[in-house]
Amino acid sequence: MTTTSRDLGFVHRFVAGSAAAPTLLLLHGTGGNETDLLSLGQELYPGAALLSPRGRVLERGMPRFFRRLAEGVFDQEDLARRTDELVGFIRDAAVEYRVDPTRVVAVGYSNGANIAASVLLRQPIALAGAVLFHPMVPFEPEQRPDMRDARIFISAGKSDPMVPQRLTQRLIELLQDGGARVAVHWEPGGHELVAGEVAAARLWLQEAFTQQGAGS
Ligand code: MLT
């Protein structure tokens, strides 16, 4: 079953999945939409339910999940508000589509990875974990969030012109300081999403989120 809806505050798509699998919350990059990552979600975890919202901010017509003032410089007030909105969406969608709210795993690319990281740092309870493709540090939290239950996969490009390696390292540190278990994958290239990191994320997801005794 695929549902397309404007309800719950976000234009979004929902694809039903098997109860044994987690639900993947798909978060696109700048200029993407709610359809872009559906095939990636299917590839990453066949049989998972897919929940895919469209970012509500428009930057010169391109959807994003929060405002930025310049490349890599984020509007922190807007980020905080949009992060809370997304957490509300996750909670409401779990009720609407009857998915287990404790088994929602974000899969974000670029701007989508940044809002997923922001959810983890602000309201970690909202996610069981995340796959972050090419994230930055969304903000420096004032208090250390408790992320002991979170499992996170980060993938980054060693020559990413938008995300210097030190920013990836800083995000890893912030997540680990909060107790999250973090797996890191480096690609030699830049900001683009490539097959090697998708394959690594797929393996990691299967290992981290397949329930014991759930069959396949
Ligand atoms: C993007 O273009 O999406 C940036 O690299 C990341 C962001 O602005 O959140």
Side-chain angles (χ1 to χ4, degrees):
M1 177 192 72
T2 304
T3 310
T4 305
S5 176
R6 289 180 179 275
D7 295 342
L8 311 174
F10 283 78
V11 175
H12 67 277
R13 307 264 313 245
F14 174 75
V15 181
S18 101
T23 296
L24 301 186
L25 173 74
L26 303 174
L27 301 166
H28 61 77
T30 302
N33 64 35
E34 67 281 10
T35 307
D36 277 6
L37 300 186
L38 292 176
S39 56
L40 175 68
Q42 267 146 8
E43 184 177 346
L44 284 175
Y45 204 116
L50 306 175
L51 178 61
S52 187
R54 185 195 304 171
R56 295 180 57 185
V57 166
L58 283 180
E59 184 185 274
R60 282 177 273 114
M62 295 184 296
R64 286 176 52 85
F65 286 96
F66 56 88
R67 284 184 218 291
R68 63 179 162 183
L69 306 173
E71 178 70 55
V73 183
F74 304 143
D75 176 335
Q76 290 297 330
E77 212 173 292
D78 188 66
L79 173 60
R81 183 159 67 91
R82 303 286 175 186
T83 303
D84 291 345
E85 281 175 8
L86 185 64
V87 169
F89 169 75
I90 299 167
R91 188 192 51 226
D92 295 347
V95 174
E96 173 78 16
Y97 298 117
R98 300 200 176 104
V99 299
D100 181 347
T102 68
R103 299 192 72 221
V104 177
V105 179
V107 173
Y109 168 65
S110 193
N111 181 243
N114 293 341
I115 190 123
S118 180
V119 171
L120 289 164
L121 294 170
R122 262 177 88 81
Q123 300 206 45
I125 190 99
L127 293 172
V131 171
L132 306 176
F133 291 119
H134 306 262
M136 298 172 173
V137 176
F139 66 96
E140 289 279 338
E142 278 165 26
Q143 284 166 5
R144 184 186 302 179
D146 180 353
M147 290 179 285
R148 277 172 295 179
D149 293 330
R151 307 190 67 171
I152 298 161
F153 174 96
I154 291 187
S155 153
K158 285 193 173 150
S159 325
D160 189 333
M162 286 188 205
V163 191
Q165 287 188 36
R166 64 175 169 76
L167 276 191
T168 308
Q169 295 294 2
R170 178 65 190 140
L171 180 62
I172 294 166
E173 249 171 56
L174 285 172
L175 298 170
Q176 285 176 335
D177 282 356
R181 277 176 283 174
V182 185
V184 183
H185 175 91
W186 287 97
E187 287 289 341
H191 200 63
E192 67 285 353
L193 186 62
V194 297
E197 60 196 325
V198 172
R202 177 185 159 106
L203 272 179
W204 177 83
L205 273 167
Q206 304 285 333
E207 266 184 43
F209 291 101
T210 299
Q211 282 182 335
Q212 298 291 328
S216 62

